[in-house]
Amino acid sequence: MIPFTVEEYHGRLTQTKLRMQQKGLDVLLITDPANMNYLSGYDGWSFYVDQMLIVSLDRVQPIWIGRKMDANAAKVTTWLYEDNILFYPEDHIHSQERHPMEFIAGVLQQLGLAPCRIGLEMASYYFSALAYEKLKKSLPDARFQDASLLVNHVRLIKSNQEIDYIRRAAKIAAIGMQSAITSIQEGVRECDAAATIFKHLISGTDEFGGDYPSIVPLLPAGKNTSTPHLTWTDRYYTENEIVIIELAGCHRRYHAPMARTLSLGRPSEEVTETSKILVEGLNTTIEAVKPGATCEDVEMAWRKVISKYGIEKDSRMGYSVGVGYPPDWGEHTASIRKGDQTILQPNMTFHMIPGLWFDDYGVEISETIRVTETGCEVLTEFQRELIIKDQIDIAI
């Protein structure tokens, strides 16, 4: 079931170990499920409990440790030898008397890694303050160091196989977006439209199916478009309101996000003009993408366009994307914004999202792109404009 060759996993592990050596680390403890997947292939909805991937400089393979009932998932989704798949007892789950990190600490002691220089993903959503305290108490001789985003930075440049998965995700995103445009209609409930979108995102194409995205479709409507991260309710869509649709196709855990703005009826002049500015800015920014440019250089192209119209935008214009698990499809590394000196290289992938939000409305139109050898490839494909919908049969 592994989605990549063993050779590719070895290459990722080699790059990770090089970064570990640069930081003076002997051991890296990984709790982020995206990084766990990237290095081992592990894929299961088990990140709500403590689990760990141990990377040691002197071991050929990582060691996966998780809940007992999830060990078989590691056997079928990873490239690891069975001896490198360990589990803690079920009585460690949500217990007040024992903690999985105590078990993991015992494994590190048995391996002779307890007194080592150990890197931790301190910024991981999946590594709690309690987990950290249990590790420190159980490994008093260890020298802990923050190694957040170490693997994330290895993930920045994608392999050709990763790009292929993102291209598939982009096709699924277009299918999901079309289902949104078709189903969002005056008199339809927001939740019913969301259900239709989910159906198509998961069904995918006849050739390949979709996976659950790391973020659910975001569907603010009317005045709620002034804030970008609302989902849906059971209210009914009404005439002459706008709806922001932000979603992502997902295939083999690789994401291709896309956003569009839909007007149910005639849009206001403000919304129309804002959408034109967004498209102009997005087109100009895409043209600025090329190897050797910095993220800041690319953002400046966007800033120059909107400044012509007297608009300022504090939030970033884009961010790197790839493999992901809830609650985010972003890689938490490079951002298209002022001050980010990350140098663009071929096969980096970004979600370029020039959203503008005001007091009473907002507009989003976005694309997922790949840095090529000479410029930029837009991976998502859908009409890049404000979508105006007058009357059309509801198709759900």
Side-chain angles (χ1 to χ4, degrees), residues 377-394:
E377 174 189 1
V378 179
L379 298 175
T380 38
E381 185 176 347
F382 207 83
Q383 56 192 102
R384 194 182 302 164
E385 60 187 358
L386 175 67
I387 300 168
I388 301 173
K389 186 174 180 180
D390 290 322
Q391 292 200 355
I392 188 171
D393 292 335
I394 299 174

Side-chain angles (χ1 to χ4, degrees), residues 95-295:
S95 170
Q96 300 297 313
E97 291 77 33
R98 52 193 63 86
H99 194 277
M101 291 300 158
E102 295 169 337
F103 179 91
I104 291 169
V107 172
L108 290 168
Q109 289 170 340
Q110 292 172 11
L111 296 173
L113 302 177
C116 291
R117 297 164 297 180
I118 299 176
L120 302 173
E121 293 186 313
M122 300 292 286
S124 169
Y125 298 125
Y126 317 87
F127 186 60
S128 67
L130 179 60
Y132 178 49
E133 289 300 321
K134 292 294 185 181
L135 271 181
K136 285 200 303 181
K137 183 177 180 180
S138 301
L139 297 171
D141 297 327
R143 288 161 287 170
F144 291 113
Q145 182 177 331
D146 182 18
S148 300
L149 305 183
L150 187 151
V151 180
N152 300 60
H153 282 281
V154 177
R155 288 162 42 194
L156 260 174
I157 300 176
K158 311 300 186 292
S159 69
N160 291 335
Q161 183 63 72
E162 289 179 289
I163 296 297
D164 182 58
Y165 289 153
I166 298 174
R167 287 196 180 106
R168 294 184 184 185
K171 291 181 180 180
I172 294 171
I175 293 170
M177 186 61 70
Q178 184 58 58
S179 72
I181 302 304
T182 302
S183 60
I184 294 174
Q185 179 82 10
E186 178 187 358
V188 172
R189 294 189 305 172
E190 293 178 356
C191 54
D192 292 327
T196 301
I197 295 167
F198 263 121
K199 175 183 182 298
H200 287 87
L201 289 178
I202 304 305
S203 293
T205 74
D206 291 339
E207 292 76 28
F208 49 83
D211 207 340
Y212 60 90
S214 293
I215 303 176
V216 300
L218 303 174
L219 296 168
K223 288 187 176 181
N224 285 342
T225 56
S226 62
T227 183
H229 296 140
L230 297 180
T231 54
W232 58 83
T233 71
D234 59 359
R235 68 178 285 274
Y236 291 85
Y237 290 110
T238 61
E239 185 181 7
N240 294 329
E241 72 176 354
I242 58 173
V243 183
I244 288 176
I245 306 158
E246 183 179 350
L247 50 77
C250 181
H251 180 72
R252 295 294 187 115
R253 302 307 321 148
Y254 283 82
H255 290 75
M258 175 195 295
R260 291 295 186 270
T261 300
L262 170 67
S263 178
L264 296 177
R266 185 180 299 274
S268 68
E269 184 176 346
E270 286 180 316
V271 170
T272 300
E273 291 305 310
T274 300
S275 68
K276 291 178 180 178
I277 294 170
L278 278 184
V279 173
E280 179 185 349
L282 180 55
N283 290 342
T284 302
T285 305
I286 287 172
E287 291 174 359
V289 173
K290 60 183 179 180
T294 67
C295 286

